[in-house]
Amino acid sequence: MKDLLNQIETLTTSFMKDASSQLDKGNKAAGLRARRASLEPLLKRFRKLSLAAAASGKRQD
């Protein structure tokens, strides 16, 4: 689960950089990268692991 959180953090940082670049500078390529990043299935995977951890009452690493 820690690895997944690190991946989400990296993706979020990259997304914010690209989205800001599109908004501030009108960079179309950065907008495309931000839209692709928003489709990443990492958050769905986190939700699944989080629900499993809550159901079992155990800590997930």
Side-chain angles (χ1 to χ4, degrees):
M1 183 99 136
K2 287 182 183 185
D3 183 45
L4 178 61
L5 290 175
N6 288 335
Q7 289 175 353
I8 290 171
E9 182 179 13
T10 301
L11 180 68
T12 303
T13 302
S14 176
F15 169 79
M16 290 302 296
K17 178 184 167 205
D18 289 333
S20 294
S21 184
Q22 180 191 18
L23 182 65
D24 297 340
K25 301 175 186 174
N27 186 333
K28 292 180 183 179
L32 177 61
R33 288 190 300 270
R35 288 190 300 275
R36 284 186 180 154
S38 71
L39 297 174
E40 227 15 77
L42 294 176
L43 293 176
K44 286 183 180 182
R45 208 165 119 213
F46 171 78
R47 183 176 186 276
K48 185 177 180 180
L49 289 173
S50 178
L51 287 171
S56 70
K58 294 182 180 177
R59 183 176 161 188
Q60 296 287 320
D61 290 323

